[in-house]
Amino acid sequence: MFRIVSGRWKAKRIAAPKFFEVRPTTDFAKEALFSILNNRYELDSVAVLDLFAGIGSISLEFASRGNEDVTAVEINPKHTAFIDEIAAKLDMRLQINVVRADVYDWLKKNKGRKQYEIVFADPPFSETDEKKYEELIAMVLDNNYLQDDGLFVLEHQSRLKFEHPNLSETRKYGNLSFSFFVKNTEENSEIENCDSERF
């Protein structure tokens, strides 16, 4: 179960079927995250990409706050059907574009098509090792998915520490953390290229 924190459907509780193996972002962490994002953006007017969308906790939160441009990418067909079902019940179907796809394949196929102010990713902790996180970071940043003022927000276990020229900060909330990455610049790209040449 998760709760929509704010907006039109504030305090709305959404329960997924018990057999779903999901780990929605905790209400406490989600509230803190959206406070950070709300201080930086007008959340009703940004383009949002929600990767590993799960059962839609983040996508539905954006839609509740008036956002009309959310793309939710999730591979599990039961989860995508659930997001569609809840979006329809809450009159959000036109706000959320639910895509059933493997995130890594989708990022490869759609590079250069659209940029977003906010890209959020919450890969499954149990299936994502450090190399997969690094691959994901590279695919988002190196393929121009972020607008100039965009942020890539990566949710991960707090024990993981990332070193990357685009990492602006990490916020810890118990066992999970959000790491915030900014758009590639020429300087960042040069640093990354130099690091790659050492190996």
Side-chain angles (χ1 to χ4, degrees), residues 125-195:
F125 289 174
S126 61
E127 301 172 20
T128 312
D129 58 22
E130 194 166 347
K131 287 185 178 180
K132 291 299 286 184
Y133 278 111
E134 291 172 355
E135 180 184 354
L136 178 62
I137 294 167
M139 291 182 79
V140 172
L141 297 181
D142 295 348
N143 291 306
N144 209 27
Y145 277 101
L146 289 179
Q147 295 193 16
D148 288 343
D149 62 342
L151 273 182
F152 172 38
V153 184
L154 179 62
E155 181 173 338
H156 57 90
Q157 290 178 302
S158 293
R159 62 178 178 80
L160 284 175
K161 312 294 182 185
F162 296 105
E163 293 186 8
H164 194 283
N166 298 59
L167 178 63
S168 62
E169 66 172 321
T170 296
R171 299 284 187 96
K172 180 180 177 182
Y173 303 96
N175 292 328
L176 70 82
S177 292
F178 299 116
S179 286
F180 297 83
F181 298 83
V182 297
K183 184 180 173 71
N184 265 344
T185 63
E186 288 186 10
E187 182 179 350
N188 286 340
S189 298
E190 288 173 5
I191 292 172
E192 197 166 2
N193 289 336
C194 287
D195 287 342

Side-chain angles (χ1 to χ4, degrees), residues 35-58:
S35 177
I36 294 168
L37 296 176
N38 196 49
N39 286 331
R40 178 164 180 150
Y41 301 102
E42 295 292 334
L43 294 184
D44 60 349
S45 60
V46 295
V48 177
L49 176 61
D50 182 10
L51 303 173
F52 307 94
I55 56 173
S57 173
I58 297 297

